[in-house]
Amino acid sequence: MTLTSADVLSSLENKYEDARETGDLIFFPSEQIVKHEEDGIQYEIRVCTALKNKASVTTANNEVTESKKPNPFAPPYNEKLYIGDMYDAEEDLYYAVLLNKFSVVPHHFLLVTKEFRPQTSPLLPSELYMTYSLLLAARKQGKNYLAFYNCGPQSGASQPHKHVQFIDAEDGIPPIERLARTTQLEVADRPFSLRRLSYANHVRRLPDLSLASPTEVADKISMAYVSLLDLVISTIRYDPTYPSGPPSYNMVLTLEHMHLIPRRWEEYTMPESGKKQNVNALGFAGMLLVKSDEELEAVKKETVSKILHGVGVESVHDIEVAGTSLEA
Ligand code: B4P
């Protein structure tokens, strides 16, 4: 039996508690979420020292070494982490919904393709539709989720099997989304950039699709995605030093906006200590993750803006890209 997006959201909490109780899901509690203001933007830096022990926890759980690890997103799934399958009848495609085994935020889940597809590939209309329908089902149940996709070798993705992730933002609005919501647009259905940010970013405001048909949702969301992806590719082309290989970018999706951020590097090297700070899509949502107080102080000293600029791509606000002015 396949699940609807409403079924997925309804069963999430019980499945999560059950998997946590049996030890199939490992929760890493955070000490604090620090609000950190720069250039009028309130970033959030989550301090989760428990993650420092992630490697030893997985070893204690008899996980095999990195090179021999089986693909966790291919069937057969761990029954405790498996919420169920979803089916897109229009495209005849199946997906599985899994709980994140290593959870920093409760109820963090993933939509994975049933057949292997690479994480370096763009999202298909069906995948975008499924993602949007899960966000919509969450909103209808009074929950506030955001979706993210780490695409390409420099995006912060650690698993090569295609997966979109969902986290519960609870009462909060991610910092970058707050900025997008307060941006006045002359034309609503055109890409724009958040110019206060230190790196190239491409955003589309989404219409209210809560009453739209599946085909209409897939069309509208795909059009937004393709227009932003075009801008990502054009932005990268302006950078002669961009690493070779498939393009890397992060997508952050809410019901109100789609954000695509081109990526140049996966990690930022702190100049003083030489230590690496990993950044994934959540970092570009304005939510950074550090694993010690020392790392927190280093991030604050270096500044979030400099770190994101360092792993992103130079902004080309003043250049006409692909015939579209990036004025916003
Ligand atoms: P990826 O796209 O490959 O990469 P990621 O989210 O950056 O996760 P990574 O694994 O690199 O974790 P990190 O230490 O940076 O996502 C793969 C996902 O699959 C991850 O969520 C992973 O936990 C999950 N997974 C791996 N094996 C699995 C299995 N067997 N079954 C089910 N799921 C499995 O960060 C640790 C965690 O914190 C990640 O979940 C990350 O998404 C999250 N995180 C990062 N920044 C955060 C922030 N600011 N706030 C809250 N959470 C944050």
Side-chain angles (χ1 to χ4, degrees), residues 46 51 54 72-73 81 99-102 104-105 108 110 119 148 150 156-159 163 165 167 278 280 282 287-289 291:
R46 178 181 286 268
L51 267 178
K54 188 174 168 190
F73 302 156
L81 300 176
L99 285 165
N100 180 357
K101 183 177 174 65
F102 307 106
V104 169
V105 176
H108 181 157
L110 303 104
Q119 187 73 3
F148 62 100
N150 300 320
S158 57
Q159 296 291 339
H163 59 281
Q165 306 191 53
I167 62 160
N278 187 291
N280 74 2
L282 289 177
M287 301 154 69
L288 278 95
L289 180 72
K291 297 175 187 168

